[in-house]
mmCIF file of all heavy atoms in Angstrom:
data_model
loop_
_atom_site.group_PDB
_atom_site.id
_atom_site.type_symbol
_atom_site.label_atom_id
_atom_site.label_comp_id
_atom_site.label_asym_id
_atom_site.label_seq_id
_atom_site.Cartn_x
_atom_site.Cartn_y
_atom_site.Cartn_z
ATOM 1 N N VAL W 210 153.361 121.499 -30.010
ATOM 2 C CA VAL W 210 153.432 120.479 -31.060
ATOM 3 C C VAL W 210 152.029 119.960 -31.360
ATOM 4 O O VAL W 210 151.648 119.794 -32.527
ATOM 5 C CB VAL W 210 154.388 119.333 -30.659
ATOM 6 C CG1 VAL W 210 154.263 118.152 -31.611
ATOM 7 C CG2 VAL W 210 155.828 119.831 -30.610
ATOM 8 N N THR W 211 151.248 119.741 -30.313
ATOM 9 C CA THR W 211 149.866 119.279 -30.496
ATOM 10 C C THR W 211 149.040 120.318 -31.251
ATOM 11 O O THR W 211 148.283 119.978 -32.171
ATOM 12 C CB THR W 211 149.211 118.968 -29.134
ATOM 13 O OG1 THR W 211 149.968 117.932 -28.495
ATOM 14 C CG2 THR W 211 147.773 118.540 -29.290
ATOM 15 N N VAL W 212 149.204 121.579 -30.891
ATOM 16 C CA VAL W 212 148.483 122.659 -31.570
ATOM 17 C C VAL W 212 148.846 122.683 -33.052
ATOM 18 O O VAL W 212 147.968 122.746 -33.926
ATOM 19 C CB VAL W 212 148.781 124.025 -30.909
ATOM 20 C CG1 VAL W 212 148.289 125.185 -31.770
ATOM 21 C CG2 VAL W 212 148.159 124.094 -29.526
ATOM 22 N N VAL W 213 150.128 122.623 -33.352
ATOM 23 C CA VAL W 213 150.576 122.664 -34.752
ATOM 24 C C VAL W 213 150.058 121.442 -35.511
ATOM 25 O O VAL W 213 149.585 121.566 -36.651
ATOM 26 C CB VAL W 213 152.112 122.782 -34.838
ATOM 27 C CG1 VAL W 213 152.595 122.599 -36.269
ATOM 28 C CG2 VAL W 213 152.561 124.132 -34.294
ATOM 29 N N ASN W 214 150.101 120.273 -34.903
ATOM 30 C CA ASN W 214 149.553 119.077 -35.558
ATOM 31 C C ASN W 214 148.062 119.229 -35.819
ATOM 32 O O ASN W 214 147.560 118.796 -36.865
ATOM 33 C CB ASN W 214 149.831 117.833 -34.720
ATOM 34 C CG ASN W 214 151.285 117.425 -34.756
ATOM 35 O OD1 ASN W 214 152.023 117.758 -35.678
ATOM 36 N ND2 ASN W 214 151.715 116.693 -33.740
ATOM 37 N N ASP W 215 147.352 119.849 -34.885
ATOM 38 C CA ASP W 215 145.925 120.112 -35.090
ATOM 39 C C ASP W 215 145.698 121.082 -36.240
ATOM 40 O O ASP W 215 144.754 120.930 -37.020
ATOM 41 C CB ASP W 215 145.281 120.648 -33.810
ATOM 42 C CG ASP W 215 145.118 119.588 -32.738
ATOM 43 O OD1 ASP W 215 145.285 118.380 -33.035
ATOM 44 O OD2 ASP W 215 144.832 119.965 -31.579
ATOM 45 N N TRP W 216 146.569 122.097 -36.348
ATOM 46 C CA TRP W 216 146.459 123.033 -37.473
ATOM 47 C C TRP W 216 146.661 122.304 -38.793
ATOM 48 O O TRP W 216 145.940 122.540 -39.755
ATOM 49 C CB TRP W 216 147.495 124.147 -37.360
ATOM 50 C CG TRP W 216 147.239 125.155 -36.288
ATOM 51 C CD1 TRP W 216 146.057 125.415 -35.653
ATOM 52 C CD2 TRP W 216 148.195 126.045 -35.727
ATOM 53 N NE1 TRP W 216 146.245 126.412 -34.730
ATOM 54 C CE2 TRP W 216 147.545 126.824 -34.753
ATOM 55 C CE3 TRP W 216 149.550 126.259 -35.945
ATOM 56 C CZ2 TRP W 216 148.183 127.802 -34.006
ATOM 57 C CZ3 TRP W 216 150.203 127.233 -35.205
ATOM 58 C CH2 TRP W 216 149.527 128.000 -34.253
ATOM 59 N N VAL W 217 147.665 121.423 -38.849
ATOM 60 C CA VAL W 217 147.915 120.652 -40.071
ATOM 61 C C VAL W 217 146.683 119.820 -40.413
ATOM 62 O O VAL W 217 146.224 119.817 -41.567
ATOM 63 C CB VAL W 217 149.174 119.758 -39.923
ATOM 64 C CG1 VAL W 217 149.284 118.786 -41.089
ATOM 65 C CG2 VAL W 217 150.435 120.622 -39.820
ATOM 66 N N ASP W 218 146.113 119.145 -39.426
ATOM 67 C CA ASP W 218 144.906 118.340 -39.666
ATOM 68 C C ASP W 218 143.751 119.211 -40.158
ATOM 69 O O ASP W 218 142.991 118.809 -41.050
ATOM 70 C CB ASP W 218 144.485 117.594 -38.398
ATOM 71 C CG ASP W 218 145.438 116.467 -38.034
ATOM 72 O OD1 ASP W 218 146.210 116.010 -38.914
ATOM 73 O OD2 ASP W 218 145.411 116.038 -36.856
ATOM 74 N N LEU W 219 143.610 120.404 -39.582
ATOM 75 C CA LEU W 219 142.560 121.333 -40.000
ATOM 76 C C LEU W 219 142.722 121.704 -41.468
ATOM 77 O O LEU W 219 141.751 121.687 -42.240
ATOM 78 C CB LEU W 219 142.597 122.587 -39.128
ATOM 79 C CG LEU W 219 141.598 123.683 -39.483
ATOM 80 C CD1 LEU W 219 140.190 123.266 -39.083
ATOM 81 C CD2 LEU W 219 141.975 124.980 -38.806
ATOM 82 N N TYR W 220 143.944 122.015 -41.868
ATOM 83 C CA TYR W 220 144.191 122.366 -43.267
ATOM 84 C C TYR W 220 143.935 121.182 -44.192
ATOM 85 O O TYR W 220 143.353 121.348 -45.273
ATOM 86 C CB TYR W 220 145.621 122.899 -43.445
ATOM 87 C CG TYR W 220 145.718 124.380 -43.200
ATOM 88 C CD1 TYR W 220 145.587 124.898 -41.912
ATOM 89 C CD2 TYR W 220 145.923 125.269 -44.237
ATOM 90 C CE1 TYR W 220 145.656 126.262 -41.677
ATOM 91 C CE2 TYR W 220 145.994 126.641 -44.014
ATOM 92 C CZ TYR W 220 145.853 127.130 -42.727
ATOM 93 O OH TYR W 220 145.912 128.478 -42.495
ATOM 94 N N ILE W 221 144.360 120.000 -43.798
ATOM 95 C CA ILE W 221 144.122 118.807 -44.618
ATOM 96 C C ILE W 221 142.617 118.596 -44.802
ATOM 97 O O ILE W 221 142.140 118.363 -45.920
ATOM 98 C CB ILE W 221 144.784 117.560 -43.986
ATOM 99 C CG1 ILE W 221 146.313 117.699 -43.950
ATOM 100 C CG2 ILE W 221 144.354 116.281 -44.706
ATOM 101 C CD1 ILE W 221 146.973 117.811 -45.298
ATOM 102 N N ASN W 222 141.876 118.696 -43.706
ATOM 103 C CA ASN W 222 140.426 118.498 -43.784
ATOM 104 C C ASN W 222 139.741 119.592 -44.595
ATOM 105 O O ASN W 222 138.745 119.334 -45.280
ATOM 106 C CB ASN W 222 139.821 118.412 -42.380
ATOM 107 C CG ASN W 222 140.169 117.115 -41.706
ATOM 108 O OD1 ASN W 222 140.333 116.084 -42.337
ATOM 109 N ND2 ASN W 222 140.310 117.158 -40.390
ATOM 110 N N TYR W 223 140.273 120.804 -44.537
ATOM 111 C CA TYR W 223 139.702 121.903 -45.312
ATOM 112 C C TYR W 223 139.916 121.684 -46.815
ATOM 113 O O TYR W 223 139.011 121.899 -47.623
ATOM 114 C CB TYR W 223 140.325 123.239 -44.886
ATOM 115 C CG TYR W 223 139.869 124.391 -45.738
ATOM 116 C CD1 TYR W 223 138.607 124.945 -45.549
ATOM 117 C CD2 TYR W 223 140.684 124.916 -46.743
ATOM 118 C CE1 TYR W 223 138.164 125.997 -46.346
ATOM 119 C CE2 TYR W 223 140.256 125.961 -47.533
ATOM 120 C CZ TYR W 223 138.998 126.508 -47.334
ATOM 121 O OH TYR W 223 138.569 127.544 -48.128
ATOM 122 N N TYR W 224 141.113 121.262 -47.188
ATOM 123 C CA TYR W 224 141.433 121.121 -48.608
ATOM 124 C C TYR W 224 140.993 119.789 -49.206
ATOM 125 O O TYR W 224 140.886 119.673 -50.431
ATOM 126 C CB TYR W 224 142.932 121.341 -48.846
ATOM 127 C CG TYR W 224 143.296 122.797 -48.807
ATOM 128 C CD1 TYR W 224 144.001 123.335 -47.748
ATOM 129 C CD2 TYR W 224 142.905 123.651 -49.828
ATOM 130 C CE1 TYR W 224 144.316 124.680 -47.704
ATOM 131 C CE2 TYR W 224 143.210 124.998 -49.796
ATOM 132 C CZ TYR W 224 143.907 125.509 -48.721
ATOM 133 O OH TYR W 224 144.200 126.845 -48.686
ATOM 134 N N LYS W 225 140.732 118.810 -48.391
ATOM 135 C CA LYS W 225 140.392 117.473 -48.887
ATOM 136 C C LYS W 225 139.247 117.483 -49.909
ATOM 137 O O LYS W 225 139.372 116.855 -50.966
ATOM 138 C CB LYS W 225 140.062 116.554 -47.711
ATOM 139 C CG LYS W 225 139.875 115.123 -48.104
ATOM 140 C CD LYS W 225 139.684 114.248 -46.867
ATOM 141 C CE LYS W 225 139.606 112.789 -47.261
ATOM 142 N NZ LYS W 225 139.555 111.921 -46.074
ATOM 143 N N PRO W 226 138.146 118.192 -49.669
ATOM 144 C CA PRO W 226 137.060 118.175 -50.667
ATOM 145 C C PRO W 226 137.417 118.866 -51.981
ATOM 146 O O PRO W 226 136.744 118.672 -52.984
ATOM 147 C CB PRO W 226 135.908 118.916 -49.980
ATOM 148 C CG PRO W 226 136.280 119.083 -48.561
ATOM 149 C CD PRO W 226 137.757 118.919 -48.459
ATOM 150 N N GLN W 227 138.482 119.658 -51.981
ATOM 151 C CA GLN W 227 138.858 120.402 -53.180
ATOM 152 C C GLN W 227 139.855 119.650 -54.061
ATOM 153 O O GLN W 227 140.123 120.079 -55.192
ATOM 154 C CB GLN W 227 139.463 121.754 -52.768
ATOM 155 C CG GLN W 227 138.502 122.600 -51.946
ATOM 156 C CD GLN W 227 139.166 123.844 -51.419
ATOM 157 O OE1 GLN W 227 139.778 124.599 -52.165
ATOM 158 N NE2 GLN W 227 139.059 124.068 -50.120
ATOM 159 N N VAL W 228 140.386 118.539 -53.565
ATOM 160 C CA VAL W 228 141.365 117.751 -54.316
ATOM 161 C C VAL W 228 140.641 117.018 -55.443
ATOM 162 O O VAL W 228 139.541 116.491 -55.259
ATOM 163 C CB VAL W 228 142.100 116.763 -53.381
ATOM 164 C CG1 VAL W 228 143.027 115.859 -54.170
ATOM 165 C CG2 VAL W 228 142.865 117.513 -52.308
ATOM 166 N N THR W 229 141.282 116.979 -56.615
ATOM 167 C CA THR W 229 140.662 116.347 -57.779
ATOM 168 C C THR W 229 141.419 115.082 -58.178
ATOM 169 O O THR W 229 142.498 114.806 -57.671
ATOM 170 C CB THR W 229 140.650 117.324 -58.978
ATOM 171 O OG1 THR W 229 141.997 117.675 -59.303
ATOM 172 C CG2 THR W 229 139.863 118.575 -58.657
ATOM 173 N N GLY W 230 140.820 114.341 -59.101
ATOM 174 C CA GLY W 230 141.468 113.155 -59.652
ATOM 175 C C GLY W 230 140.973 111.871 -59.019
ATOM 176 O O GLY W 230 140.071 111.854 -58.181
ATOM 177 N N GLU W 231 141.595 110.774 -59.471
ATOM 178 C CA GLU W 231 141.283 109.448 -58.935
ATOM 179 C C GLU W 231 141.705 109.372 -57.473
ATOM 180 O O GLU W 231 142.475 110.203 -56.995
ATOM 181 C CB GLU W 231 142.022 108.373 -59.750
ATOM 182 C CG GLU W 231 141.673 108.343 -61.217
ATOM 183 C CD GLU W 231 140.256 107.853 -61.478
ATOM 184 O OE1 GLU W 231 139.764 107.016 -60.696
ATOM 185 O OE2 GLU W 231 139.651 108.330 -62.454
ATOM 186 N N GLN W 232 141.237 108.350 -56.781
ATOM 187 C CA GLN W 232 141.524 108.212 -55.349
ATOM 188 C C GLN W 232 143.022 108.205 -55.068
ATOM 189 O O GLN W 232 143.486 108.843 -54.120
ATOM 190 C CB GLN W 232 140.882 106.936 -54.797
ATOM 191 C CG GLN W 232 140.979 106.821 -53.285
ATOM 192 C CD GLN W 232 140.260 107.958 -52.574
ATOM 193 O OE1 GLN W 232 139.125 108.276 -52.903
ATOM 194 N NE2 GLN W 232 140.927 108.579 -51.617
ATOM 195 N N GLN W 233 143.795 107.510 -55.885
ATOM 196 C CA GLN W 233 145.244 107.461 -55.688
ATOM 197 C C GLN W 233 145.852 108.858 -55.826
ATOM 198 O O GLN W 233 146.721 109.246 -55.045
ATOM 199 C CB GLN W 233 145.878 106.494 -56.685
ATOM 200 C CG GLN W 233 147.364 106.306 -56.486
ATOM 201 C CD GLN W 233 147.963 105.302 -57.468
ATOM 202 O OE1 GLN W 233 147.290 104.831 -58.380
ATOM 203 N NE2 GLN W 233 149.228 104.985 -57.283
ATOM 204 N N GLU W 234 145.398 109.614 -56.792
ATOM 205 C CA GLU W 234 145.856 110.991 -56.990
ATOM 206 C C GLU W 234 145.499 111.849 -55.780
ATOM 207 O O GLU W 234 146.317 112.636 -55.286
ATOM 208 C CB GLU W 234 145.207 111.575 -58.250
ATOM 209 C CG GLU W 234 145.330 113.070 -58.407
ATOM 210 C CD GLU W 234 146.656 113.545 -58.964
ATOM 211 O OE1 GLU W 234 147.443 112.713 -59.440
ATOM 212 O OE2 GLU W 234 146.914 114.758 -58.908
ATOM 213 N N GLN W 235 144.288 111.703 -55.290
ATOM 214 C CA GLN W 235 143.843 112.469 -54.125
ATOM 215 C C GLN W 235 144.695 112.125 -52.900
ATOM 216 O O GLN W 235 145.115 113.019 -52.160
ATOM 217 C CB GLN W 235 142.369 112.199 -53.846
ATOM 218 C CG GLN W 235 141.440 112.740 -54.916
ATOM 219 C CD GLN W 235 139.993 112.411 -54.641
ATOM 220 O OE1 GLN W 235 139.598 112.147 -53.508
ATOM 221 N NE2 GLN W 235 139.180 112.418 -55.688
ATOM 222 N N ASP W 236 144.928 110.844 -52.695
ATOM 223 C CA ASP W 236 145.734 110.406 -51.548
ATOM 224 C C ASP W 236 147.150 110.967 -51.625
ATOM 225 O O ASP W 236 147.694 111.446 -50.623
ATOM 226 C CB ASP W 236 145.787 108.880 -51.466
ATOM 227 C CG ASP W 236 144.445 108.252 -51.127
ATOM 228 O OD1 ASP W 236 143.518 108.976 -50.685
ATOM 229 O OD2 ASP W 236 144.304 107.028 -51.319
ATOM 230 N N ARG W 237 147.759 110.907 -52.804
ATOM 231 C CA ARG W 237 149.111 111.430 -52.984
ATOM 232 C C ARG W 237 149.156 112.935 -52.758
ATOM 233 O O ARG W 237 150.097 113.465 -52.151
ATOM 234 C CB ARG W 237 149.633 111.101 -54.384
ATOM 235 C CG ARG W 237 150.051 109.644 -54.549
ATOM 236 C CD ARG W 237 150.645 109.317 -55.912
ATOM 237 N NE ARG W 237 151.645 110.271 -56.347
ATOM 238 C CZ ARG W 237 151.593 110.938 -57.518
ATOM 239 N NH1 ARG W 237 150.593 110.756 -58.346
ATOM 240 N NH2 ARG W 237 152.542 111.774 -57.848
ATOM 241 N N THR W 238 148.133 113.637 -53.236
ATOM 242 C CA THR W 238 148.070 115.091 -53.061
ATOM 243 C C THR W 238 147.979 115.450 -51.582
ATOM 244 O O THR W 238 148.711 116.326 -51.099
ATOM 245 C CB THR W 238 146.874 115.674 -53.828
ATOM 246 O OG1 THR W 238 147.035 115.384 -55.220
ATOM 247 C CG2 THR W 238 146.750 117.172 -53.619
ATOM 248 N N LEU W 239 147.096 114.783 -50.861
ATOM 249 C CA LEU W 239 146.935 115.075 -49.433
ATOM 250 C C LEU W 239 148.182 114.694 -48.647
ATOM 251 O O LEU W 239 148.570 115.394 -47.705
ATOM 252 C CB LEU W 239 145.699 114.367 -48.885
ATOM 253 C CG LEU W 239 144.367 114.896 -49.432
ATOM 254 C CD1 LEU W 239 143.216 114.012 -48.983
ATOM 255 C CD2 LEU W 239 144.139 116.347 -49.038
ATOM 256 N N GLN W 240 148.830 113.616 -49.041
ATOM 257 C CA GLN W 240 150.075 113.213 -48.387
ATOM 258 C C GLN W 240 151.156 114.272 -48.628
ATOM 259 O O GLN W 240 151.891 114.643 -47.711
ATOM 260 C CB GLN W 240 150.524 111.852 -48.919
ATOM 261 C CG GLN W 240 151.804 111.341 -48.302
ATOM 262 C CD GLN W 240 152.222 109.983 -48.881
ATOM 263 O OE1 GLN W 240 151.672 109.515 -49.871
ATOM 264 N NE2 GLN W 240 153.199 109.380 -48.258
ATOM 265 N N GLU W 241 151.251 114.754 -49.848
ATOM 266 C CA GLU W 241 152.252 115.778 -50.160
ATOM 267 C C GLU W 241 151.933 117.085 -49.429
ATOM 268 O O GLU W 241 152.840 117.745 -48.899
ATOM 269 C CB GLU W 241 152.324 116.025 -51.666
ATOM 270 C CG GLU W 241 153.444 116.958 -52.043
ATOM 271 C CD GLU W 241 153.700 117.027 -53.538
ATOM 272 O OE1 GLU W 241 153.545 116.011 -54.230
ATOM 273 O OE2 GLU W 241 154.064 118.122 -53.991
ATOM 274 N N LEU W 242 150.651 117.446 -49.364
ATOM 275 C CA LEU W 242 150.266 118.652 -48.630
ATOM 276 C C LEU W 242 150.637 118.520 -47.161
ATOM 277 O O LEU W 242 151.222 119.438 -46.568
ATOM 278 C CB LEU W 242 148.765 118.922 -48.784
ATOM 279 C CG LEU W 242 148.217 120.117 -48.003
ATOM 280 C CD1 LEU W 242 148.920 121.412 -48.397
ATOM 281 C CD2 LEU W 242 146.712 120.232 -48.197
ATOM 282 N N ARG W 243 150.351 117.371 -46.564
ATOM 283 C CA ARG W 243 150.695 117.151 -45.158
ATOM 284 C C ARG W 243 152.204 117.273 -44.954
ATOM 285 O O ARG W 243 152.670 117.912 -44.007
ATOM 286 C CB ARG W 243 150.203 115.778 -44.685
ATOM 287 C CG ARG W 243 150.532 115.498 -43.215
ATOM 288 C CD ARG W 243 149.946 114.186 -42.740
ATOM 289 N NE ARG W 243 148.510 114.158 -42.800
ATOM 290 C CZ ARG W 243 147.699 114.677 -41.861
ATOM 291 N NH1 ARG W 243 148.217 115.273 -40.804
ATOM 292 N NH2 ARG W 243 146.394 114.600 -41.989
ATOM 293 N N GLN W 244 152.979 116.680 -45.846
ATOM 294 C CA GLN W 244 154.448 116.744 -45.733
ATOM 295 C C GLN W 244 154.940 118.183 -45.833
ATOM 296 O O GLN W 244 155.800 118.606 -45.062
ATOM 297 C CB GLN W 244 155.109 115.879 -46.813
ATOM 298 C CG GLN W 244 156.616 115.869 -46.736
ATOM 299 C CD GLN W 244 157.127 115.290 -45.431
ATOM 300 O OE1 GLN W 244 156.669 114.252 -44.997
ATOM 301 N NE2 GLN W 244 158.057 115.980 -44.796
ATOM 302 N N GLU W 245 154.386 118.935 -46.765
ATOM 303 C CA GLU W 245 154.811 120.324 -46.937
ATOM 304 C C GLU W 245 154.439 121.172 -45.719
ATOM 305 O O GLU W 245 155.221 122.011 -45.277
ATOM 306 C CB GLU W 245 154.200 120.923 -48.208
ATOM 307 C CG GLU W 245 154.713 120.310 -49.491
ATOM 308 C CD GLU W 245 156.190 120.563 -49.746
ATOM 309 O OE1 GLU W 245 156.792 121.447 -49.102
ATOM 310 O OE2 GLU W 245 156.759 119.876 -50.600
ATOM 311 N N LEU W 246 153.258 120.950 -45.157
ATOM 312 C CA LEU W 246 152.850 121.704 -43.970
ATOM 313 C C LEU W 246 153.722 121.328 -42.772
ATOM 314 O O LEU W 246 154.103 122.201 -41.982
ATOM 315 C CB LEU W 246 151.370 121.468 -43.659
ATOM 316 C CG LEU W 246 150.382 121.932 -44.730
ATOM 317 C CD1 LEU W 246 148.945 121.676 -44.273
ATOM 318 C CD2 LEU W 246 150.583 123.383 -45.123
ATOM 319 N N ASN W 247 154.052 120.064 -42.662
ATOM 320 C CA ASN W 247 154.962 119.636 -41.587
ATOM 321 C C ASN W 247 156.343 120.273 -41.765
ATOM 322 O O ASN W 247 156.972 120.685 -40.787
ATOM 323 C CB ASN W 247 155.075 118.114 -41.533
ATOM 324 C CG ASN W 247 153.846 117.468 -40.930
ATOM 325 O OD1 ASN W 247 153.145 118.057 -40.112
ATOM 326 N ND2 ASN W 247 153.577 116.247 -41.339
ATOM 327 N N ASN W 248 156.803 120.358 -43.017
ATOM 328 C CA ASN W 248 158.090 121.005 -43.291
ATOM 329 C C ASN W 248 158.066 122.476 -42.888
ATOM 330 O O ASN W 248 159.037 122.995 -42.344
ATOM 331 C CB ASN W 248 158.468 120.880 -44.767
ATOM 332 C CG ASN W 248 158.835 119.471 -45.173
ATOM 333 O OD1 ASN W 248 159.089 118.617 -44.339
ATOM 334 N ND2 ASN W 248 158.832 119.223 -46.469
ATOM 335 N N LEU W 249 156.952 123.146 -43.172
ATOM 336 C CA LEU W 249 156.822 124.553 -42.797
ATOM 337 C C LEU W 249 156.752 124.732 -41.284
ATOM 338 O O LEU W 249 157.223 125.743 -40.750
ATOM 339 C CB LEU W 249 155.563 125.163 -43.427
ATOM 340 C CG LEU W 249 155.586 125.415 -44.926
ATOM 341 C CD1 LEU W 249 154.215 125.866 -45.407
ATOM 342 C CD2 LEU W 249 156.642 126.463 -45.270
ATOM 343 N N SER W 250 156.180 123.771 -40.590
ATOM 344 C CA SER W 250 156.006 123.916 -39.145
ATOM 345 C C SER W 250 157.294 123.657 -38.369
ATOM 346 O O SER W 250 157.439 124.141 -37.238
ATOM 347 C CB SER W 250 154.888 122.996 -38.641
ATOM 348 O OG SER W 250 155.245 121.640 -38.763
ATOM 349 N N ALA W 251 158.241 122.940 -38.942
ATOM 350 C CA ALA W 251 159.479 122.606 -38.222
ATOM 351 C C ALA W 251 160.243 123.854 -37.769
ATOM 352 O O ALA W 251 160.601 123.955 -36.586
ATOM 353 C CB ALA W 251 160.352 121.684 -39.061
ATOM 354 N N PRO W 252 160.505 124.843 -38.642
ATOM 355 C CA PRO W 252 161.209 126.043 -38.174
ATOM 356 C C PRO W 252 160.395 126.824 -37.131
ATOM 357 O O PRO W 252 160.958 127.416 -36.209
ATOM 358 C CB PRO W 252 161.413 126.878 -39.443
ATOM 359 C CG PRO W 252 161.246 125.940 -40.571
ATOM 360 C CD PRO W 252 160.331 124.861 -40.098
ATOM 361 N N PHE W 253 159.076 126.825 -37.282
ATOM 362 C CA PHE W 253 158.221 127.493 -36.297
ATOM 363 C C PHE W 253 158.385 126.848 -34.928
ATOM 364 O O PHE W 253 158.538 127.543 -33.915
ATOM 365 C CB PHE W 253 156.758 127.429 -36.756
ATOM 366 C CG PHE W 253 155.785 127.888 -35.712
ATOM 367 C CD1 PHE W 253 155.546 129.234 -35.517
ATOM 368 C CD2 PHE W 253 155.113 126.972 -34.921
ATOM 369 C CE1 PHE W 253 154.654 129.666 -34.544
ATOM 370 C CE2 PHE W 253 154.220 127.387 -33.948
ATOM 371 C CZ PHE W 253 153.985 128.745 -33.765
ATOM 372 N N LEU W 254 158.370 125.516 -34.892
ATOM 373 C CA LEU W 254 158.528 124.815 -33.615
ATOM 374 C C LEU W 254 159.929 125.026 -33.042
ATOM 375 O O LEU W 254 160.084 125.163 -31.822
ATOM 376 C CB LEU W 254 158.209 123.329 -33.781
ATOM 377 C CG LEU W 254 156.731 123.021 -34.026
ATOM 378 C CD1 LEU W 254 156.545 121.551 -34.390
ATOM 379 C CD2 LEU W 254 155.882 123.399 -32.828
#
């Protein structure tokens, strides 16, 4: 679980500089990305 959470954090940090828009848009995008990655990791776990 820790490894998978670290992978999610790695992906968030990798994509963060590529997110566009106002700060609120960026925050929502990263939140949605985190949620989607967590959703993908559930069946794996």
